Amino acid sequence: MTVKRVLVVLVLLSSLGSMLLGAAASVSPVHQALTFILVKMMNAQGGIHTQYQALVTPQEELAAGHDVLLQNSSLLMHYATGSGDQQLFDQQVKLIKNCFLAEPVGLLYWKLNTHMRPMQSSWGTYSNDPGESLRLVEALLSAYDLWGEEFYWDLAFRIGDGLKTHNLAPDKTLRYYAAWKPDFSLVEYGDRVVLAQLNFAGMRGLAWWDRSWEAPLAANLEIVLTGTTDQGLFYQNYLPAEQRYEKGDGSMLHMAQIAYQLAVYGHSDPDSAALDTAQAFLGFVKEEYARNGKILGRYDPETGTPLVAWENTAVYALTAQTALRLGDASFAGAIVSEKLIPSQQTARQSPVYGAFSATTNDAYAFDTLETLLALQESGASSEDEDHSPIRAVWYLGWHKESYQQSGVINDLWQIQSRLCSNYIGLFASTYQDDVTSSNPHRDPERTASDEALRNVILQIHRMGMGVILLTPLFPDDESWEGEIRPNNVEQWFDHWREILLHYATLAEEAHVEVLLLGSELATLRNRKDDWNRLIVAVKSIYHGKLGYSVNFWADRVEYQQVKEMTQWRHLDYIGVTGYFELTNEADPSIEDLKVAWNCDRKGQDILADLEALHHEYGKPIVFWEIGYTSKDGTNIYPWDFPRPGEEDLGEQADCWEAFLSVFSGIEWFQGYGIYAERIGLPKIHKMYGVLGKPAEDVFGNICGD
């Protein structure tokens, strides 16, 4: 039939406000930013591009485009230790060892090219950045304290020894680079100290284990403390041979880095001189912000005169971090709320969605990563329990390692950004021989592996979404799970218990938010005692939310059976698959589809039925699974996907729009699960998926831009 989808989305969808579909619709800034880094900025080896756009590096001492910098890896490693994400940390450790570490000299290349090869200078040499190397050392030692892996400690001191041997001059000053040839013979070290490179926390971490680092720490700390001006700002460089400072270009980014390093060191040691110097910088910044409502990118360090009119996101992020270390949460909060959060790109059509950037089509990883750390330190990533309605999408993997495929994270990002989902449903498929079999089981060749599930769950959580885990049952004779009639029901439940306890353990360890005990097992729903015993067993292991997904009712007999399932009392939700047969007409109007929820093609008032269930057991209602194929007449038999029919994208979209309109604002209705998007399979236009179809717009407008 002709697609009669109205292109203008109903005003209703844009005005739901804090009701069901709009409540807490946005992903947190922290998760948006991390997802941008992982999906848009990270290459296959784990290297992080300098810039979103693939521009050419302007000069060899600078970086741009898809150059890969050590600084971005070290920042992400600090985020990983702060969030307890050891897998993410280890990914970057592997990158450091395989790509950045010049093993024979113990130094780290500061920049790799787009092919993940070290960048050579025009003199044919390589060089390092000791500041970023020390920040990496700081992260490694933090990880050692957190997780106890000896490898972190060994790598930190391998890098520390390289710096001590090749970047420290006899006067113990840390020079701003060391250069070496391809044969790893050392050429020289720099003639100056760059104050922004002096990571005192890294030096202090090395000195705790190696006393020979105490002298460099003291010497370089004195350089910074002496290198402050009457304005509370800092000189850029120190020339040891001439014993003088260079004013430099007045980079506020460099000065904010210096102040932050002093605040970190002074707070942890503690050292009052370091804290006082950092506080003097913060005093200048606060006065400037109070006077002008902004912090600019460059100031003359001696006069405090602004040198430019532009602002810098990373300066704000470092300023907020410094304020937090100095105990000024009020000023940090102002910077976060007034400058950082508003700079995040939240338009879902933006190619840099989630980044912290001044432009809508480009972004630097450094700005986003520093802001990510500022938000983490301010507590923005420590979120309370999410009570917002469930907007799930089932993401189906049909093979053992489907959830391990390289395209998974991009699929998840597409689902999240285009369908406004806050939960992802995952399948751990189970099987039995035929409709009468009594031994449901996991299949080692077809069921998603535990490793694959753990990996995809971690990715979903990194993106700020929750997980719903289901063990659907697929008899090998291709019958529907709702038709099974085991020869030995007690034996069937023994096997099902074994399956569920396995996934209860996995779900507890992986912090899965919702575990479903089954779906559509219509012939077994009256086995109340068996289900109650199973619920007790699962709850002894798993402490998240428990649910079950009962099949929709086609008549009053089936509804009465669902209503008599007293096991609902022990679950957190009353869960239903929402494939209710709405009308007798192919391609009905949206208004007709809305009315059908109060009088379906069998004359049932589905809304009244659901509300009665809610009042009977005091539990919220969730449609764990609901979907419409893009076929003519899909509203008549939504569950019957093999049913012949012409492609009709409009009816699918109309069904979804009517559903969302009818169920918006109902207090006892707590969400839905869109069925379904799939991994590694070609898109079939007549099936349930909505990505790339008009129905996608219905869900995209829930969050808005």
Side-chain angles (χ1 to χ4, degrees), residues 135 252-254 256-257 259-261 281 313-323 340 366 370-371 374:
R135 176 153 53 188
M252 199 60 170
L253 178 59
H254 286 174
Q257 287 175 318
Y260 176 66
Q261 297 300 342
F281 170 84
T313 302
V315 168
Y316 284 120
L318 282 160
T319 299
Q321 292 177 70
T322 301
L340 292 178
F366 180 73
E370 282 288 9
T371 305

PDB file of all heavy atoms in Angstrom, residues 135 252-254 256-257 259-261 281 313-323 340 366 370-371 374:
ATOM      1  N   ARG A 135      52.462  11.313  33.388  1.00  0.00           N
ATOM      2  CA  ARG A 135      51.024  11.137  33.636  1.00  0.00           C
ATOM      3  C   ARG A 135      50.652   9.668  33.454  1.00  0.00           C
ATOM      4  O   ARG A 135      49.822   9.126  34.196  1.00  0.00           O
ATOM      5  CB  ARG A 135      50.200  12.017  32.701  1.00  0.00           C
ATOM      6  CG  ARG A 135      48.709  11.789  32.877  1.00  0.00           C
ATOM      7  CD  ARG A 135      47.868  12.977  32.518  1.00  0.00           C
ATOM      8  NE  ARG A 135      48.114  13.513  31.198  1.00  0.00           N
ATOM      9  CZ  ARG A 135      47.580  14.657  30.744  1.00  0.00           C
ATOM     10  NH1 ARG A 135      46.788  15.363  31.519  1.00  0.00           N
ATOM     11  NH2 ARG A 135      47.855  15.096  29.533  1.00  0.00           N
ATOM     12  N   MET A 252      46.956  29.752  28.470  1.00  0.00           N
ATOM     13  CA  MET A 252      46.217  29.452  29.693  1.00  0.00           C
ATOM     14  C   MET A 252      46.085  27.945  29.887  1.00  0.00           C
ATOM     15  O   MET A 252      45.934  27.474  31.022  1.00  0.00           O
ATOM     16  CB  MET A 252      44.846  30.112  29.642  1.00  0.00           C
ATOM     17  CG  MET A 252      44.198  30.259  30.996  1.00  0.00           C
ATOM     18  SD  MET A 252      45.195  31.280  32.109  1.00  0.00           S
ATOM     19  CE  MET A 252      44.046  31.507  33.449  1.00  0.00           C
ATOM     20  N   LEU A 253      46.132  27.198  28.803  1.00  0.00           N
ATOM     21  CA  LEU A 253      46.089  25.744  28.919  1.00  0.00           C
ATOM     22  C   LEU A 253      47.311  25.255  29.691  1.00  0.00           C
ATOM     23  O   LEU A 253      47.201  24.435  30.611  1.00  0.00           O
ATOM     24  CB  LEU A 253      46.037  25.106  27.529  1.00  0.00           C
ATOM     25  CG  LEU A 253      46.025  23.582  27.489  1.00  0.00           C
ATOM     26  CD1 LEU A 253      44.834  23.018  28.258  1.00  0.00           C
ATOM     27  CD2 LEU A 253      46.004  23.085  26.049  1.00  0.00           C
ATOM     28  N   HIS A 254      48.501  25.762  29.335  1.00  0.00           N
ATOM     29  CA  HIS A 254      49.712  25.367  30.051  1.00  0.00           C
ATOM     30  C   HIS A 254      49.630  25.778  31.512  1.00  0.00           C
ATOM     31  O   HIS A 254      49.988  25.019  32.415  1.00  0.00           O
ATOM     32  CB  HIS A 254      50.944  26.004  29.393  1.00  0.00           C
ATOM     33  CG  HIS A 254      51.320  25.376  28.095  1.00  0.00           C
ATOM     34  ND1 HIS A 254      52.313  25.871  27.278  1.00  0.00           N
ATOM     35  CD2 HIS A 254      50.829  24.293  27.456  1.00  0.00           C
ATOM     36  CE1 HIS A 254      52.418  25.115  26.196  1.00  0.00           C
ATOM     37  NE2 HIS A 254      51.532  24.152  26.286  1.00  0.00           N
ATOM     38  N   ALA A 256      46.964  26.340  33.365  1.00  0.00           N
ATOM     39  CA  ALA A 256      45.979  25.531  34.084  1.00  0.00           C
ATOM     40  C   ALA A 256      46.526  24.143  34.382  1.00  0.00           C
ATOM     41  O   ALA A 256      46.240  23.563  35.448  1.00  0.00           O
ATOM     42  CB  ALA A 256      44.691  25.434  33.265  1.00  0.00           C
ATOM     43  N   GLN A 257      47.318  23.585  33.462  1.00  0.00           N
ATOM     44  CA  GLN A 257      47.939  22.288  33.716  1.00  0.00           C
ATOM     45  C   GLN A 257      48.906  22.367  34.898  1.00  0.00           C
ATOM     46  O   GLN A 257      48.942  21.471  35.750  1.00  0.00           O
ATOM     47  CB  GLN A 257      48.673  21.804  32.458  1.00  0.00           C
ATOM     48  CG  GLN A 257      47.749  21.337  31.354  1.00  0.00           C
ATOM     49  CD  GLN A 257      48.493  20.987  30.078  1.00  0.00           C
ATOM     50  OE1 GLN A 257      49.419  21.696  29.665  1.00  0.00           O
ATOM     51  NE2 GLN A 257      48.094  19.902  29.433  1.00  0.00           N
ATOM     52  N   ALA A 259      48.844  24.522  37.425  1.00  0.00           N
ATOM     53  CA  ALA A 259      48.082  24.686  38.663  1.00  0.00           C
ATOM     54  C   ALA A 259      47.449  23.373  39.098  1.00  0.00           C
ATOM     55  O   ALA A 259      47.434  23.045  40.301  1.00  0.00           O
ATOM     56  CB  ALA A 259      47.008  25.754  38.465  1.00  0.00           C
ATOM     57  N   TYR A 260      46.930  22.614  38.141  1.00  0.00           N
ATOM     58  CA  TYR A 260      46.301  21.338  38.493  1.00  0.00           C
ATOM     59  C   TYR A 260      47.329  20.369  39.066  1.00  0.00           C
ATOM     60  O   TYR A 260      47.072  19.690  40.066  1.00  0.00           O
ATOM     61  CB  TYR A 260      45.621  20.734  37.265  1.00  0.00           C
ATOM     62  CG  TYR A 260      45.034  19.372  37.538  1.00  0.00           C
ATOM     63  CD1 TYR A 260      43.970  19.214  38.418  1.00  0.00           C
ATOM     64  CD2 TYR A 260      45.556  18.230  36.938  1.00  0.00           C
ATOM     65  CE1 TYR A 260      43.440  17.966  38.696  1.00  0.00           C
ATOM     66  CE2 TYR A 260      45.029  16.973  37.205  1.00  0.00           C
ATOM     67  CZ  TYR A 260      43.977  16.851  38.082  1.00  0.00           C
ATOM     68  OH  TYR A 260      43.461  15.617  38.361  1.00  0.00           O
ATOM     69  N   GLN A 261      48.528  20.309  38.456  1.00  0.00           N
ATOM     70  CA  GLN A 261      49.558  19.408  38.971  1.00  0.00           C
ATOM     71  C   GLN A 261      49.965  19.796  40.394  1.00  0.00           C
ATOM     72  O   GLN A 261      50.179  18.935  41.255  1.00  0.00           O
ATOM     73  CB  GLN A 261      50.784  19.421  38.053  1.00  0.00           C
ATOM     74  CG  GLN A 261      50.534  18.922  36.643  1.00  0.00           C
ATOM     75  CD  GLN A 261      50.039  17.489  36.588  1.00  0.00           C
ATOM     76  OE1 GLN A 261      50.172  16.727  37.558  1.00  0.00           O
ATOM     77  NE2 GLN A 261      49.460  17.094  35.468  1.00  0.00           N
ATOM     78  N   PHE A 281      46.678  30.918  41.575  1.00  0.00           N
ATOM     79  CA  PHE A 281      46.186  30.818  40.196  1.00  0.00           C
ATOM     80  C   PHE A 281      44.663  30.813  40.179  1.00  0.00           C
ATOM     81  O   PHE A 281      44.033  31.516  39.377  1.00  0.00           O
ATOM     82  CB  PHE A 281      46.727  29.552  39.535  1.00  0.00           C
ATOM     83  CG  PHE A 281      46.089  29.242  38.212  1.00  0.00           C
ATOM     84  CD1 PHE A 281      46.542  29.835  37.053  1.00  0.00           C
ATOM     85  CD2 PHE A 281      45.013  28.354  38.126  1.00  0.00           C
ATOM     86  CE1 PHE A 281      45.952  29.563  35.824  1.00  0.00           C
ATOM     87  CE2 PHE A 281      44.415  28.080  36.909  1.00  0.00           C
ATOM     88  CZ  PHE A 281      44.889  28.687  35.755  1.00  0.00           C
ATOM     89  N   THR A 313      37.911  24.934  25.851  1.00  0.00           N
ATOM     90  CA  THR A 313      37.179  23.960  26.658  1.00  0.00           C
ATOM     91  C   THR A 313      38.075  23.271  27.675  1.00  0.00           C
ATOM     92  O   THR A 313      37.698  23.104  28.851  1.00  0.00           O
ATOM     93  CB  THR A 313      36.527  22.901  25.750  1.00  0.00           C
ATOM     94  OG1 THR A 313      35.653  23.551  24.834  1.00  0.00           O
ATOM     95  CG2 THR A 313      35.742  21.885  26.566  1.00  0.00           C
ATOM     96  N   ALA A 314      39.277  22.870  27.253  1.00  0.00           N
ATOM     97  CA  ALA A 314      40.174  22.157  28.164  1.00  0.00           C
ATOM     98  C   ALA A 314      40.620  23.045  29.320  1.00  0.00           C
ATOM     99  O   ALA A 314      40.857  22.559  30.434  1.00  0.00           O
ATOM    100  CB  ALA A 314      41.381  21.618  27.401  1.00  0.00           C
ATOM    101  N   VAL A 315      40.746  24.353  29.085  1.00  0.00           N
ATOM    102  CA  VAL A 315      41.091  25.271  30.175  1.00  0.00           C
ATOM    103  C   VAL A 315      40.008  25.239  31.242  1.00  0.00           C
ATOM    104  O   VAL A 315      40.285  25.176  32.447  1.00  0.00           O
ATOM    105  CB  VAL A 315      41.292  26.701  29.635  1.00  0.00           C
ATOM    106  CG1 VAL A 315      41.368  27.706  30.789  1.00  0.00           C
ATOM    107  CG2 VAL A 315      42.555  26.782  28.791  1.00  0.00           C
ATOM    108  N   TYR A 316      38.756  25.274  30.810  1.00  0.00           N
ATOM    109  CA  TYR A 316      37.658  25.203  31.776  1.00  0.00           C
ATOM    110  C   TYR A 316      37.674  23.870  32.523  1.00  0.00           C
ATOM    111  O   TYR A 316      37.437  23.818  33.738  1.00  0.00           O
ATOM    112  CB  TYR A 316      36.325  25.396  31.069  1.00  0.00           C
ATOM    113  CG  TYR A 316      36.034  26.828  30.676  1.00  0.00           C
ATOM    114  CD1 TYR A 316      35.840  27.180  29.351  1.00  0.00           C
ATOM    115  CD2 TYR A 316      35.953  27.828  31.642  1.00  0.00           C
ATOM    116  CE1 TYR A 316      35.576  28.501  28.993  1.00  0.00           C
ATOM    117  CE2 TYR A 316      35.690  29.146  31.294  1.00  0.00           C
ATOM    118  CZ  TYR A 316      35.503  29.481  29.966  1.00  0.00           C
ATOM    119  OH  TYR A 316      35.241  30.776  29.616  1.00  0.00           O
ATOM    120  N   ALA A 317      37.941  22.790  31.799  1.00  0.00           N
ATOM    121  CA  ALA A 317      37.951  21.474  32.440  1.00  0.00           C
ATOM    122  C   ALA A 317      39.053  21.380  33.490  1.00  0.00           C
ATOM    123  O   ALA A 317      38.835  20.889  34.610  1.00  0.00           O
ATOM    124  CB  ALA A 317      38.124  20.383  31.384  1.00  0.00           C
ATOM    125  N   LEU A 318      40.253  21.861  33.152  1.00  0.00           N
ATOM    126  CA  LEU A 318      41.363  21.818  34.103  1.00  0.00           C
ATOM    127  C   LEU A 318      41.124  22.766  35.274  1.00  0.00           C
ATOM    128  O   LEU A 318      41.481  22.469  36.420  1.00  0.00           O
ATOM    129  CB  LEU A 318      42.664  22.176  33.387  1.00  0.00           C
ATOM    130  CG  LEU A 318      43.259  21.039  32.549  1.00  0.00           C
ATOM    131  CD1 LEU A 318      44.231  21.587  31.518  1.00  0.00           C
ATOM    132  CD2 LEU A 318      43.950  20.020  33.449  1.00  0.00           C
ATOM    133  N   THR A 319      40.500  23.904  35.006  1.00  0.00           N
ATOM    134  CA  THR A 319      40.175  24.841  36.083  1.00  0.00           C
ATOM    135  C   THR A 319      39.199  24.210  37.066  1.00  0.00           C
ATOM    136  O   THR A 319      39.347  24.337  38.297  1.00  0.00           O
ATOM    137  CB  THR A 319      39.588  26.136  35.501  1.00  0.00           C
ATOM    138  OG1 THR A 319      40.558  26.756  34.644  1.00  0.00           O
ATOM    139  CG2 THR A 319      39.198  27.104  36.598  1.00  0.00           C
ATOM    140  N   ALA A 320      38.183  23.522  36.543  1.00  0.00           N
ATOM    141  CA  ALA A 320      37.218  22.849  37.417  1.00  0.00           C
ATOM    142  C   ALA A 320      37.902  21.771  38.251  1.00  0.00           C
ATOM    143  O   ALA A 320      37.631  21.634  39.459  1.00  0.00           O
ATOM    144  CB  ALA A 320      36.097  22.242  36.585  1.00  0.00           C
ATOM    145  N   GLN A 321      38.799  21.005  37.632  1.00  0.00           N
ATOM    146  CA  GLN A 321      39.515  19.970  38.379  1.00  0.00           C
ATOM    147  C   GLN A 321      40.388  20.576  39.471  1.00  0.00           C
ATOM    148  O   GLN A 321      40.475  20.046  40.592  1.00  0.00           O
ATOM    149  CB  GLN A 321      40.375  19.141  37.416  1.00  0.00           C
ATOM    150  CG  GLN A 321      39.567  18.288  36.447  1.00  0.00           C
ATOM    151  CD  GLN A 321      40.468  17.547  35.465  1.00  0.00           C
ATOM    152  OE1 GLN A 321      41.180  16.623  35.848  1.00  0.00           O
ATOM    153  NE2 GLN A 321      40.445  17.963  34.209  1.00  0.00           N
ATOM    154  N   THR A 322      41.042  21.690  39.147  1.00  0.00           N
ATOM    155  CA  THR A 322      41.883  22.361  40.141  1.00  0.00           C
ATOM    156  C   THR A 322      41.045  22.859  41.309  1.00  0.00           C
ATOM    157  O   THR A 322      41.405  22.688  42.485  1.00  0.00           O
ATOM    158  CB  THR A 322      42.635  23.529  39.481  1.00  0.00           C
ATOM    159  OG1 THR A 322      43.441  23.036  38.404  1.00  0.00           O
ATOM    160  CG2 THR A 322      43.523  24.243  40.488  1.00  0.00           C
ATOM    161  N   ALA A 323      39.913  23.481  40.996  1.00  0.00           N
ATOM    162  CA  ALA A 323      39.030  23.986  42.053  1.00  0.00           C
ATOM    163  C   ALA A 323      38.564  22.858  42.964  1.00  0.00           C
ATOM    164  O   ALA A 323      38.505  23.013  44.192  1.00  0.00           O
ATOM    165  CB  ALA A 323      37.838  24.706  41.429  1.00  0.00           C
ATOM    166  N   LEU A 340      31.054  23.965  30.734  1.00  0.00           N
ATOM    167  CA  LEU A 340      31.356  22.645  30.179  1.00  0.00           C
ATOM    168  C   LEU A 340      30.116  21.955  29.622  1.00  0.00           C
ATOM    169  O   LEU A 340      30.095  21.561  28.448  1.00  0.00           O
ATOM    170  CB  LEU A 340      32.035  21.773  31.231  1.00  0.00           C
ATOM    171  CG  LEU A 340      33.441  22.224  31.623  1.00  0.00           C
ATOM    172  CD1 LEU A 340      34.025  21.330  32.708  1.00  0.00           C
ATOM    173  CD2 LEU A 340      34.367  22.265  30.408  1.00  0.00           C
ATOM    174  N   PHE A 366      41.309  15.702  23.153  1.00  0.00           N
ATOM    175  CA  PHE A 366      41.860  16.246  24.399  1.00  0.00           C
ATOM    176  C   PHE A 366      40.804  17.027  25.170  1.00  0.00           C
ATOM    177  O   PHE A 366      40.668  16.873  26.390  1.00  0.00           O
ATOM    178  CB  PHE A 366      43.057  17.136  24.072  1.00  0.00           C
ATOM    179  CG  PHE A 366      43.702  17.763  25.277  1.00  0.00           C
ATOM    180  CD1 PHE A 366      44.471  17.003  26.142  1.00  0.00           C
ATOM    181  CD2 PHE A 366      43.548  19.112  25.544  1.00  0.00           C
ATOM    182  CE1 PHE A 366      45.069  17.573  27.261  1.00  0.00           C
ATOM    183  CE2 PHE A 366      44.138  19.697  26.651  1.00  0.00           C
ATOM    184  CZ  PHE A 366      44.899  18.923  27.508  1.00  0.00           C
ATOM    185  N   GLU A 370      39.584  15.720  28.866  1.00  0.00           N
ATOM    186  CA  GLU A 370      39.782  16.536  30.063  1.00  0.00           C
ATOM    187  C   GLU A 370      38.439  16.864  30.714  1.00  0.00           C
ATOM    188  O   GLU A 370      38.316  16.864  31.946  1.00  0.00           O
ATOM    189  CB  GLU A 370      40.534  17.829  29.717  1.00  0.00           C
ATOM    190  CG  GLU A 370      42.025  17.653  29.519  1.00  0.00           C
ATOM    191  CD  GLU A 370      42.790  17.386  30.813  1.00  0.00           C
ATOM    192  OE1 GLU A 370      42.166  17.162  31.873  1.00  0.00           O
ATOM    193  OE2 GLU A 370      44.043  17.389  30.766  1.00  0.00           O
ATOM    194  N   THR A 371      37.427  17.140  29.889  1.00  0.00           N
ATOM    195  CA  THR A 371      36.105  17.416  30.457  1.00  0.00           C
ATOM    196  C   THR A 371      35.518  16.172  31.094  1.00  0.00           C
ATOM    197  O   THR A 371      34.871  16.240  32.149  1.00  0.00           O
ATOM    198  CB  THR A 371      35.164  17.950  29.366  1.00  0.00           C
ATOM    199  OG1 THR A 371      35.772  19.087  28.739  1.00  0.00           O
ATOM    200  CG2 THR A 371      33.826  18.361  29.956  1.00  0.00           C
ATOM    201  N   ALA A 374      36.925  16.004  34.426  1.00  0.00           N
ATOM    202  CA  ALA A 374      36.331  17.011  35.304  1.00  0.00           C
ATOM    203  C   ALA A 374      34.955  16.569  35.788  1.00  0.00           C
ATOM    204  O   ALA A 374      34.620  16.717  36.972  1.00  0.00           O
ATOM    205  CB  ALA A 374      36.231  18.348  34.572  1.00  0.00           C
TER     206      ALA A 374
END
